[in-house]
């Protein structure tokens, strides 16, 4: 299905199209449910009653005039500080220090100890893009951050990346021991879904949309998402120095031993789309779902986030070779030290930067169909991800 072998076309597109067509078809088929149920009384602002009234809490705002310089004037720093503060407050409330204290202390250490909060911001910005309110997005925003934190705890474990520094602090297993770190990650994993299930309908999101958002988030970290990316990555690390290796990728034999380099672009993209991009995509898409987005809007958000998700990893690879550990708040130069296949290694530093630029343009292209003021945060978030320093 993936046509990775002997193909002239950029393999990343083939992989992405095939995989996401399947994933999206599954979502649409499974949840083409009746959206006509009414939300709890008083949760939909006056005037928002329309064809989508029951979908979620939607804000009433006057769109700016077309062509206004609203996008240029938008202050992302302020937006990130303000939204980030409210996300942190919501996370603090969601995971209080309670009995048993050890596990909650461990969960809170990783969840509340810094981080750029890119995934929650994507969820909130996508929700607001389609006319939803921040409050409607907050449960999925927090869930995306919990899932991300869970993956970081796992990733840092001695049996995985074996890292001692994360978000400028000692990693979870270094402070709490491996057993507690693993339990904290599992607890964050399941609590993410519990949190959406328990909180989203309280802020007026229709049950059908809550289910769709949970499906989106859970799929992104499962064996077709984050775990798939990680497991293929591990296989490659184990066999990196052997030649002639073939293995199965979505039922197709994939040759990972291209002459002179261990992994080709297609496999690298498979890894990063699953390991990194899927969760970023799920954050944005679930935001658009709970915001009441129509299918075409949700699909546009998905395409935007897919480009941004891959962009995120391309830039992560670039930063690993251009920044210090102090600047990154995590160990720099690890990819080079472990001879890992990265975008700079395959494309060169300039080539990787060029690829990043192409992805930003693709992401921006998807926003053109939306109201400019509402699209401004996502437009600037894509730029921030492309040109960030940590
Ligand atoms: C057990 C479901 C499960 C998964 C574990 C370990 C693993 C499987 C997957 C690894 C996923 C991973 C850590 C990918 C890297 C993603 C990435 C680029 C992280 C850095 O994200 P930032 O820059 O970090 O947003 P902050 O700290 O700012 O939040």
């Amino acid at each position: 299905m993936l046509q990775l072998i002997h193909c002239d076309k950029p393999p990343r597109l083939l992989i992405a199209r095939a995989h996401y067509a399947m994933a999206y078809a599954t979502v649409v088929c499974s949840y083409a449910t009746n959206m006509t149920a009414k939300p709890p009384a008083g949760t939909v602002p006056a005037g928002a009653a329309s064809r989508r009234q029951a979908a979620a809490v939607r804000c009433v705002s006057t769109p700016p005039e077309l062509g206004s310089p609203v996008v240029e004037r938008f202050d992302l720093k302020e937006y990130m500080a303000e939204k980030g503060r409210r996300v942190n407050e919501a996370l603090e409330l969601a995971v209080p220090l309670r009995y048993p204290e050890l596990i909650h202390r461990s969960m809170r250490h990783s969840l509340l100890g810094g981080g750029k909060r890119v995934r929650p911001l994507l969820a909130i910005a996508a929700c607001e893009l389609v006319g939803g309110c921040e409050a409607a997005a907050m449960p999925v925003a927090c869930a995306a951050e919990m899932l991300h934190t869970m993956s970081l705890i796992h990733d840092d474990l001695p049996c995985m990346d074996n890292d001692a520094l994360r978000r400028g602090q000692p990693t979870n297993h270094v402070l709490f021991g491996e057993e507690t770190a693993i339990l904290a990650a599992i607890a964050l994993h399941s609590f993410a879904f519990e949190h959406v299930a328990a909180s989203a309908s309280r802020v007026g999101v229709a049950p059908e949309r809550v289910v769709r958002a949970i499906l989106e988030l859970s799929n992104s970290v499962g064996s077709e998402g984050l775990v798939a990316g990680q497991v293929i990555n591990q296989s490659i690390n184990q066999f990196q120095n052997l030649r002639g290796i073939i293995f199965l990728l979505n039922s197709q034999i994939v040759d990972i031993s291209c002459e002179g380099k261990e992994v080709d672009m297609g496999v690298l993209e498979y890894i990063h789309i699953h390991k990194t991009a899927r969760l970023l995509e799920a954050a944005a898409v679930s935001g658009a779902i709970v915001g009441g987005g129509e299918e075409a809007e949700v699909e546009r958000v998905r395409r935007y986030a897919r480009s941004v998700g891959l962009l995120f990893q391309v830039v992560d690879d670039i930063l690993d070779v251009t920044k210090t550990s102090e600047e990154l708040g995590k160990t720099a130069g690890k990819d080079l030290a472990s001879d890992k296949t990265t975008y700079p290694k395959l494309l060169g530093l300039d080539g990787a930067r060029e690829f990043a630029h192409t992805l930003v343009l693709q992401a921006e292209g998807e926003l053109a169909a939306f109201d400019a003021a509402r699209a401004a945060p996502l437009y600037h978030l894509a730029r921030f991800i492309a040109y960030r320093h940590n």
Side-chain angles (χ1 to χ4, degrees):
M1 185 187 92
L2 294 177
Q3 303 174 44
L4 281 174
I5 312 164
H6 310 309
C7 182
D8 306 333
K9 293 213 177 94
R12 65 184 181 82
L13 293 176
L14 294 170
I15 295 172
R17 278 187 196 138
H19 181 78
Y20 286 111
M22 267 178 55
Y24 187 69
T26 310
V27 171
V28 172
C29 293
S30 312
Y31 291 91
T33 44
N34 172 11
M35 298 282 179
T36 55
K38 283 212 159 75
T43 53
V44 177
S50 70
R51 62 208 145 92
R52 291 182 288 189
Q53 71 170 19
V57 181
R58 293 175 74 99
C59 299
V60 184
S61 68
T62 316
E65 283 173 23
L66 282 176
S68 79
V70 67
V71 175
E72 308 308 321
R73 283 204 311 266
F74 181 81
D75 186 343
L76 182 72
K77 212 168 155 196
E78 197 186 309
Y79 180 89
M80 287 181 79
E82 184 66 12
K83 299 284 189 198
R85 187 178 57 72
R86 286 203 288 277
V87 167
N88 289 338
E89 283 170 7
L91 288 170
E92 171 76 48
L93 279 174
V95 187
L97 187 55
R98 61 192 150 178
Y99 183 84
E101 285 198 2
L102 177 64
I103 195 68
H104 290 104
R105 209 181 287 285
S106 169
M107 289 160 76
R108 285 166 57 87
H109 167 73
S110 294
L111 186 65
L112 305 174
K116 296 180 288 297
R117 307 304 192 212
V118 168
R119 292 149 194 84
L121 294 181
L122 282 171
I124 293 169
C127 177
E128 292 181 338
L129 175 77
V130 298
C133 288
E134 181 188 299
M138 202 52 96
V140 293
C142 288
E145 190 63 25
M146 289 173 201
L147 294 172
H148 170 54
T149 303
M150 167 280 289
S151 78
L152 297 180
I153 296 174
H154 271 116
D155 201 45
D156 292 333
L157 286 171
C159 64
M160 298 240 177
D161 259 11
N162 192 19
D163 219 317
L165 185 67
R166 173 69 72 179
R167 292 173 165 174
Q169 300 189 51
T171 45
N172 201 297
H173 67 272
V174 166
L175 273 188
F176 296 93
E178 278 181 57
E179 296 91 336
T180 305
I182 290 169
L183 292 173
I186 292 173
L188 283 169
H189 194 168
S190 57
F191 186 62
F193 306 119
E194 181 184 334
H195 184 63
V196 178
S199 315
S201 49
R202 258 188 243 142
V203 289
V205 180
E208 297 87 353
R209 288 191 181 254
V210 176
V211 173
R212 280 178 66 193
I214 290 175
L215 177 75
E216 189 65 40
L217 288 164
S218 56
N219 176 268
S220 78
V221 293
S223 60
E224 292 176 296
L226 213 128
V227 168
Q230 181 70 9
V231 85
I232 297 295
N233 197 24
Q234 282 170 202
S235 316
I236 287 166
N237 289 344
Q238 277 162 16
F239 297 113
Q240 205 170 26
N241 296 321
L242 301 178
R243 299 185 66 188
I245 296 294
I246 53 172
F247 70 107
L248 293 175
L249 188 59
N250 278 12
S251 308
Q252 288 283 319
I253 292 173
V254 175
D255 187 346
I256 63 165
S257 60
C258 305
E259 285 293 320
K261 55 182 168 34
E262 299 81 4
V263 177
D264 71 10
M265 275 289 281
V267 178
L268 187 65
E269 285 220 355
Y270 179 91
I271 291 169
H272 293 317
I273 282 173
H274 292 77
K275 214 179 116 175
T276 303
R278 269 298 283 127
L279 180 53
L280 287 149
E281 178 186 323
V285 167
S286 60
I289 290 170
V290 297
E294 291 178 344
E295 289 310 322
E297 293 175 319
V298 172
E299 200 39 18
R300 271 196 186 282
V301 167
R302 185 185 298 283
R303 290 196 297 268
Y304 159 89
R306 200 175 293 163
S307 296
V308 162
L310 194 52
L311 169 69
F312 197 92
Q313 186 61 51
V314 177
V315 174
D316 214 61
D317 285 1
I318 294 172
L319 293 176
D320 186 73
V321 289
T322 56
K323 298 286 177 189
T324 64
S325 298
E326 290 69 40
E327 286 170 308
L328 296 181
K330 61 180 182 179
T331 313
K334 279 196 83 172
D335 297 345
L336 211 56
S338 58
D339 196 27
K340 205 165 132 188
T341 304
T342 62
Y343 286 98
K345 188 174 169 189
L346 284 188
L347 303 174
L349 203 48
D350 285 345
R353 286 187 173 127
E354 217 170 283
F355 184 36
H357 185 64
T358 307
L359 291 167
V360 179
L361 296 181
Q362 272 175 23
E364 285 174 7
E366 297 299 337
L367 299 177
F370 291 98
D371 167 76
R374 285 185 179 158
L378 288 178
Y379 175 89
H380 285 275
L381 273 169
R383 298 242 142 198
F384 165 78
I385 288 167
Y387 307 116
R388 69 201 158 101
H389 299 290
N390 66 22

